[in-house]
Amino acid sequence: MSYVYTVARLRGMENALKALSETSYAQWLNQSGGFDKAIDSEILSTCEELSSFVPDKELLTIFRLPYDFHNVKVLLKGLFKVRGGEAEGRRYDLISKLGTINTEELTEAIETEEYGFLPYGLTDLIPECWKIWEQTKSAQTVELLIDHQMFRAMLKVAEGLNIPEVTAWVKNKIDAENLRSAVRLARMKYESSKAINFFHEGGFLRPDDVAKLLNEPQETWSRLLSYTDIGAALNAMQESSDLKLALSDVSKALDEYLIKVLEPAKYSMDAPANVLLYLLTKEAEARNLRVALVCVAGGLDREFGRRLLSNA
């Protein structure tokens, strides 16, 4: 299947991306919901445009699938609160249109407990979430269960495409999330033996090996992972003794790394990975815009805000 036409279209869109970063969101500002909704609308419009000419729609699914699982979390947590006595526990305003599942259908399915048509293993996952919630009342445990399934679903879609660089990207994304979690757990002084359930299977790094990092000083992590490409993203921890700053720096470095993994596709006019690369670049642009707006609205320190902005 040729991607020459697809990549040519993406090249044209990329040339306009920088200029559009200041203007393309303006068309959505008249709708209710403010900048967050405007940003989501722009990304959704981009996905719909790509869908009109991208041969393998599963490339878009890989990008959009995390938003489906985000919506599942929002809906379940709302229902947990309602059943706990909070009449206003539902937060429909937090549901994203960027997922692949129609949000109204997903909402109805979860609220009526009719899960049979749901994809990505959600038919079995959601009842399990309810079981865990009833046993533990731990929203964190439920979220981890959902995230585990999300990465399994992403990897399954990627492997079905049979595009090695896309499968490698998903594996790197799993590693990036595991390392992000490891930094957070280190801040909380977690023991490695108790942290294993926080890490996801399917990446290049085994969850056991990520958990073992918690036994080591953080400034040594990049050296311990020097045999991996992703290890260099942890260099930021060597430059900061402030764990709060280290977390934001590492998180940004991991996001930038995930884009760099796909950058070799730029040199091919027939590489399907260009689709995912373009979407990730668009998402990074949107994330930067959100950070800038939040910092301005909240009067946050400009230097701290700049540290959060991605260079991708």
Side-chain angles (χ1 to χ4, degrees):
M1 184 177 294
S2 175
Y3 267 77
V4 172
Y5 172 71
T6 297
V7 174
R9 283 285 299 269
L10 290 172
R11 289 288 186 264
M13 294 168 73
E14 282 174 348
N15 290 336
L17 189 58
K18 187 172 183 180
L20 286 173
S21 67
E22 298 180 359
T23 62
S24 64
Y25 300 90
Q27 62 182 310
W28 311 109
L29 294 180
N30 290 329
Q31 68 178 18
S32 61
F35 270 103
D36 269 335
K37 293 297 182 183
I39 291 170
D40 281 355
S41 294
E42 170 63 17
I43 297 177
L44 180 58
S45 177
T46 298
C47 288
E48 291 172 346
E49 182 179 358
L50 293 181
S51 183
S52 70
F53 62 86
V54 169
D56 292 302
K57 302 299 186 289
E58 290 84 359
L59 289 167
L60 303 176
T61 297
I62 289 171
F63 173 77
R64 299 181 67 176
L65 192 147
Y67 293 98
D68 288 315
F69 282 81
H70 160 81
N71 290 340
V72 170
K73 288 181 185 179
V74 169
L75 290 166
L76 283 178
K77 287 165 76 173
L79 289 176
F80 293 162
K81 290 181 179 181
V82 169
R83 296 207 181 170
E86 293 185 40
E88 303 299 324
R90 293 179 175 87
R91 290 293 306 274
Y92 296 127
D93 58 306
L94 297 179
I95 294 175
S96 173
K97 296 286 188 180
L98 293 175
T100 65
I101 307 172
N102 178 280
T103 55
E104 292 181 1
E105 293 178 359
L106 179 63
T107 300
E108 183 178 2
I110 291 179
E111 293 189 344
T112 61
E113 300 185 16
E114 296 289 341
Y115 317 125
F117 76 93
L118 294 178
Y120 313 132
L122 292 172
T123 298
D124 296 322
L125 175 68
I126 296 174
E128 183 65 19
C129 288
W130 274 111
K131 179 181 177 181
I132 295 296
W133 171 253
E134 290 166 357
Q135 292 174 347
T136 68
K137 295 298 187 290
S138 170
Q140 182 185 63
T141 302
V142 171
E143 282 202 36
L144 282 171
L145 189 66
I146 293 171
D147 286 342
H148 288 332
Q149 180 58 30
M150 178 189 74
F151 285 117
R152 281 194 291 266
M154 290 181 71
L155 195 55
K156 182 177 180 179
V157 173
E159 290 174 342
L161 280 167
N162 197 28
I163 302 173
E165 57 267 42
V166 172
T167 300
W169 179 83
V170 173
K171 288 177 173 289
N172 273 289
K173 184 172 176 63
I174 294 170
D175 288 340
E177 185 56 33
N178 283 344
L179 292 175
R180 219 185 307 260
S181 295
V183 176
R184 294 192 190 100
L185 294 170
R187 289 180 62 191
M188 299 165 64
K189 309 296 184 184
Y190 251 80
E191 297 177 12
S192 62
S193 60
K194 298 180 180 179
I196 189 65
N197 289 333
F198 286 87
F199 305 123
H200 312 292
E201 300 277 357
F204 291 113
L205 299 174
R206 297 188 311 164
D208 284 350
D209 292 335
V210 179
K212 289 175 183 176
L213 293 174
L214 298 179
N215 296 326
E216 307 295 336
Q218 284 186 294
E219 61 269 19
T220 68
W221 287 11
S222 62
R223 178 176 56 79
L224 293 172
L225 294 177
S226 61
Y227 65 96
T228 70
D229 292 330
I230 202 171
L234 301 180
N235 287 338
M237 291 196 299
Q238 299 180 11
E239 302 167 4
S240 175
S241 58
D242 186 327
L243 282 178
K244 183 177 181 181
L245 290 178
L247 177 57
S248 63
D249 288 344
V250 168
S251 185
K252 181 179 73 171
L254 289 169
D255 288 337
E256 293 173 355
Y257 169 78
L258 288 174
I259 292 179
K260 290 176 182 176
V261 166
L262 294 175
E263 283 185 343
K266 284 185 175 182
Y267 304 104
S268 170
M269 288 298 294
D270 195 29
N274 276 290
V275 176
L276 191 52
L277 175 60
Y278 182 81
L279 287 168
L280 292 175
T281 304
K282 188 73 176 179
E283 187 178 51
E285 175 193 78
R287 186 165 52 244
N288 281 345
L289 182 54
R290 278 196 174 95
V291 169
L293 291 170
V294 168
C295 288
V296 170
L300 300 179
D301 178 72
R302 289 187 178 184
E303 179 57 31
F304 179 69
R306 277 194 290 269
R307 294 178 71 107
L308 296 176
L309 295 177
S310 171
N311 295 318

